[in-house]
């Protein structure tokens, strides 16, 4: 039920929209990052003003380059961007019955000003999401674009061990095409291999992920986000971590996710 700015985990949505609008040439995107992106009177800083240098689309996503994604947001069709966000269940109910939760919100539409576009494209502004919703988007990517309905119980058994009721998985909708899910998986894999998700990199199994560091109030520490799945070639588990007011997603939320992945994968092996 907690709503939070998604920070850079929202770059999954921005990246999907850019790929939808540039299906044949999105990998040709290029941006030179000096740590601070200036547009008129507005400035967008990368984390700690780190200069990422020459960035293509894959590197910009892996390094979570705010300047690149802010500039990229300015060329998007805002009506289509809004539609994509709603297809991913922003401003809509989740396929979850019997449990209390809040709907995530995405407010940017055609006519938005430059500052709103710059902020929204990197998961700031007025966009809000629940950790559950972030996990569902990640799960749909892991599942080839298909969202499954969350459920809390696998089965009910009697005191004698007899199965009384069995709960079965059910489809909750198609959030994207299989090709789009595969492209996002490729991007998220590079986050772990060579980007901000290095804290979950291991030789024991593969992980695809996105980190986030979300500003929410001036003078307060950022929220740390991580969302990802493993193993990449045959996904079995999604982990989404939010640590309030704790700093960097890669440095704080990532190691927590790594512990959960380790526990689960050790039981699988």
């Amino acid at each position: 039920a907690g709503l939070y700015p998604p920070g850079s985990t929202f770059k999954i949505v921005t990246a999907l929209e850019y790929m939808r609008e540039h299906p044949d040439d999105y990998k040709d995107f290029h941006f030179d990052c000096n740590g601070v992106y200036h547009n008129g009177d507005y400035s967008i800083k990368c984390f700690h003003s780190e200069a990422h240098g020459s960035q293509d689309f894959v590197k910009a996503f892996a390094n979570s380059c705010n300047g690149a994604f802010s500039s990229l947001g300015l060329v998007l069709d805002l009506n289509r961007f809004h539609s994509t966000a709603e297809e991913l269940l922003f401003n809509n109910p989740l396929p979850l019955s019997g449990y209390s939760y809040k709907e995530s919100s995405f407010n940017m539409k055609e006519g938005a000003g430059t500052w709103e576009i710059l902020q929204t494209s990197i998961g700031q502004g007025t966009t809000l999401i629940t950790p559950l919703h972030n996990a569902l988007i990640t799960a749909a990517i892991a599942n080839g674009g298909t969202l499954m309905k969350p459920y809390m119980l696998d089965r009910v058994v009697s005191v004698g061990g007899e199965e009384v009721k069995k709960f079965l998985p059910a489809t909750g909708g198609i959030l994207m095409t299989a090709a789009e899910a595969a492209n996002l998986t490729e991007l998220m894999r590079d986050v772990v291999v060579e980007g901000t998700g290095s804290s979950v990199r291991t030789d024991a199994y593969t992980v695809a992920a996105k980190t986030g560091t979300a500003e929410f109030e001036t003078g307060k520490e950022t929220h740390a986000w991580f969302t990802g799945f493993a193993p990449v070639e045959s996904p079995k588990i999604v982990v989404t971590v939010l640590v309030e007011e704790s700093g960097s997603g890669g440095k704080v939320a990532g190691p927590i996710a790594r512990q959960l992945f380790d526990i689960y994968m050790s039981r699988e092996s």
Side-chain angles (χ1 to χ4, degrees):
L3 286 169
Y4 303 87
S8 290
T9 61
F10 188 78
K11 287 171 184 166
I12 291 171
V13 184
T14 307
L16 175 60
E17 177 57 30
Y18 188 77
M19 289 190 294
R20 285 179 170 180
E21 294 187 28
H22 299 268
D24 300 321
D25 63 352
Y26 69 88
K27 288 189 177 181
D28 294 333
F29 172 83
H30 180 265
F31 182 82
D32 288 313
C33 173
N34 64 6
V36 183
Y37 170 60
H38 298 285
N39 186 295
D41 294 332
Y42 305 120
S43 298
I44 296 291
K45 294 182 179 181
C46 285
F47 189 62
H48 288 167
S49 298
E50 179 182 357
H52 294 116
S54 178
Q55 298 288 283
D56 61 15
F57 188 70
V58 176
K59 288 181 179 178
F61 189 89
N63 293 322
S64 206
C65 181
N66 285 339
F69 269 78
S70 291
S71 70
L72 182 153
L74 292 171
V75 303
L76 296 178
D77 181 315
L78 298 190
N79 280 337
R80 291 182 62 177
F81 197 5
H82 192 271
S83 295
T84 290
E86 293 200 332
E87 287 173 20
L88 297 182
L89 304 181
F90 284 86
N91 307 329
N92 282 297
L94 301 178
L96 181 67
S97 59
Y99 301 95
S100 175
Y101 67 92
K102 292 180 180 178
E103 291 185 9
S104 301
S105 61
F106 180 86
N107 300 310
M108 187 173 67
K109 295 181 179 180
E110 185 177 7
T114 299
W115 181 243
E116 182 179 0
I117 297 171
L118 296 175
Q119 287 279 291
T120 302
S121 300
I122 59 173
Q124 296 291 162
T126 62
T127 304
L128 295 172
I129 193 171
T130 60
L132 172 63
H133 185 190
N134 227 343
L136 292 181
I137 293 173
T138 307
I141 295 169
N143 204 35
T146 300
L147 176 66
M148 304 303 290
K149 292 181 179 179
Y151 60 104
M152 304 293 285
L153 299 177
D154 178 63
R155 62 188 182 277
V156 178
V157 297
S158 69
V159 67
E162 181 181 354
E163 187 175 282
V164 176
K165 186 175 183 179
K166 175 72 174 177
F167 297 88
L168 298 175
T171 301
I174 307 296
L175 298 195
M176 64 194 73
T177 67
E180 289 170 339
N183 288 337
L184 286 171
T185 296
E186 179 183 341
L187 291 175
M188 294 169 71
R189 179 63 184 140
D190 281 335
V191 169
V192 176
V193 173
E194 57 183 45
T196 61
S198 60
S199 59
V200 296
R201 189 166 62 228
T202 173
D203 293 333
Y205 52 86
T206 54
V207 184
K210 186 71 189 79
T211 62
T213 304
E215 298 177 1
F216 72 101
E217 186 175 322
T218 303
K220 289 196 173 184
E221 184 58 273
T222 51
H223 297 320
W225 278 102
F226 174 97
T227 190
F229 61 89
V232 173
E233 57 277 7
S234 181
K236 298 180 183 297
I237 181 173
V238 165
V239 173
T240 298
V241 176
L242 170 75
V243 190
E244 296 179 344
E245 297 184 53
S246 61
S248 160
K251 293 182 179 179
V252 178
I256 295 172
R258 170 65 185 273
Q259 293 179 59
L260 296 171
F261 282 130
D262 282 349
I263 292 169
Y264 184 90
M265 298 304 291
S266 68
R267 292 174 178 174
E268 286 288 301
S269 60

